Amino acid sequence: MPELPEVETVRIGLAKWVTGRTIATAEVHHPRAIRRHLPGDVHFNAVLTGRTILDVSRRGKYLWLPLDSGDAIIAHLGMSGQLLMQPATAEDEKHLRVRFTFTDGGPQLRFVDQRTFGGLSVSEGGAELPGEISHIARDPMDPLFDDDAFSARLRGRHTEIKRALLDQSLISGVGNIYADEALWRAKLHGTRPTDKLTRPAVGRVLGHVRDVLAEAIRAGGTSFDELYVNVNGESGYFDRSLNAYGREGEPCHRCGAPIRRESFMNRSSFSCPRCQPRPR
DNA sequence: ACGAAGACCTGGATGC
DNA sequence: TGCATCCAGGTCTTCG
């Protein structure tokens, strides 16, 4: 599932392939892919035709592509979205949703998304930071992320630590996988109340979040010099390094106890029953 | 204002 | 074999 490291890998690859190129057409193959673009597919194509892409930026799991018009293309991969560079001759993918062609006739940019949780839209005047994603907090790799403010906001909330880590308005980029990994490293159970955490404890969690994201970026940042922005929207090579996520019943890499799985928000949480005891 | 739950999706895995 | 059900989970919307 694309979380910050996967999206950052896509951003780097995309920047290399589309920066400075001018869009010739923006074909929408599935309306749901641009459901956030309220004016619809005809407008989507019209407003993008002839525009030059200046850069590829990211906040949390969102990407945006500033254009020479001052507008920006917003992209979210959802659960299964991919942004692929493909030669014009390549056959359409089964789940091709949007295709961009360029005036230079070079490789196309294709948005492919099986489950259509992801999508694209155009933000008017959003080149600096689209208003549509201004509610998304800075991510912990952002130099302007404010550790003290985060700690204060977190400890001021009456919620559980894992819920807080997944709250993109508090800290962005973290999803279910990296939340579980950071909590395993911090030896904290996900249901620990945030208002009972000390400031140093929050600092430790944040440090582990940063470590796990940085390691995953390194693991995912391989081999995208082909006509490919990112392999498959999954964790790259990082799945080999997981300590908790998806390891139900397997021995904890720290203490050997079998990793437990618990139901959480219609999904799963993985943790070590010995290293991460449930709060009472 | 905040927190929690429901809705949105498809295809692979599993159960009968 | 075929059909039904479960499961993956990020984000927006709705409700309390």
Side-chain angles (χ1 to χ4, degrees), chain A residues 4-60:
Chain A
L4 186 151
E6 293 74 35
V7 179
E8 176 63 10
T9 302
V10 170
R11 189 194 68 77
I12 293 168
L14 205 53
K16 176 174 167 181
W17 284 98
V18 302
T19 301
R21 298 177 71 198
T22 299
I23 296 167
T25 59
E27 305 165 11
V28 177
H29 290 243
H30 193 303
R32 190 171 151 77
I34 59 151
R35 65 193 180 285
R36 304 264 165 225
H37 188 77
L38 303 179
D41 59 348
V42 173
H43 180 268
F44 185 82
N45 180 48
V47 80
L48 293 178
T49 297
R51 299 278 63 89
T52 299
I53 296 171
L54 302 181
D55 197 4
V56 184
S57 303
R58 181 184 59 73
R59 175 164 288 198

Side-chain angles (χ1 to χ4, degrees), chain A residues 134-195:
Chain A
S134 60
H135 64 290
I136 303 291
R138 290 186 186 276
D139 68 66
M141 313 307 276
D142 187 325
L144 294 181
F145 185 90
D146 185 335
D147 287 26
D148 292 336
F150 169 73
S151 181
R153 285 187 69 200
L154 184 82
R155 302 198 309 132
R157 291 243 181 138
H158 298 277
T159 188
E160 299 167 354
I161 181 63
K162 182 163 177 183
R163 285 180 184 277
L165 289 178
L166 296 178
D167 183 343
Q168 305 295 302
S169 68
L170 205 51
I171 180 171
S172 70
V174 181
N176 201 37
I177 296 172
Y178 297 113
D180 277 4
E181 291 303 308
L183 290 170
W184 180 88
R185 293 182 184 209
K187 302 185 185 177
L188 291 177
H189 191 268
T191 60
R192 288 283 291 266
T194 52
D195 47 4

Side-chain angles (χ1 to χ4, degrees), chain A residues 110-129:
Chain A
R110 300 182 183 182
F111 179 64
V112 177
D113 188 13
Q114 178 208 114
R115 287 160 69 185
T116 66
F117 273 46
L120 308 179
S121 61
V122 177
S123 172
E124 244 180 274
E128 195 65 33
L129 173 69

Side-chain angles (χ1 to χ4, degrees), chain A residues 68-111:
Chain A
D68 61 349
S69 57
D71 298 339
I73 302 171
I74 302 176
H76 196 286
L77 302 177
M79 302 293 301
S80 55
Q82 299 170 260
L83 286 164
L84 306 175
M85 301 305 307
Q86 293 279 40
T89 52
E91 201 168 314
D92 287 3
E93 291 77 7
K94 180 174 179 193
H95 301 294
L96 175 66
R97 308 303 189 198
V98 179
R99 182 207 323 271
F100 295 93
T101 63
F102 296 90
T103 54
D104 57 18
Q108 305 178 341
L109 171 61
R110 300 182 183 182
F111 179 64

Side-chain angles (χ1 to χ4, degrees), chain A residues 1-13 58 60-61 63 77 139-141 172-179 209-222 224 229-230 233-238 242:
Chain A
M1 311 305 151
E3 301 181 28
L4 186 151
E6 293 74 35
V7 179
E8 176 63 10
T9 302
V10 170
R11 189 194 68 77
I12 293 168
R58 181 184 59 73
K61 302 169 196 171
L63 294 171
L77 302 177
D139 68 66
M141 313 307 276
S172 70
V174 181
N176 201 37
I177 296 172
Y178 297 113
V209 169
R210 286 203 173 101
D211 288 348
V212 75
L213 292 178
E215 289 169 31
I217 289 172
R218 280 200 294 277
T222 52
F224 41 81
V229 170
N230 159 274
E234 290 175 6
S235 328
Y237 290 107
F238 194 72
L242 295 177

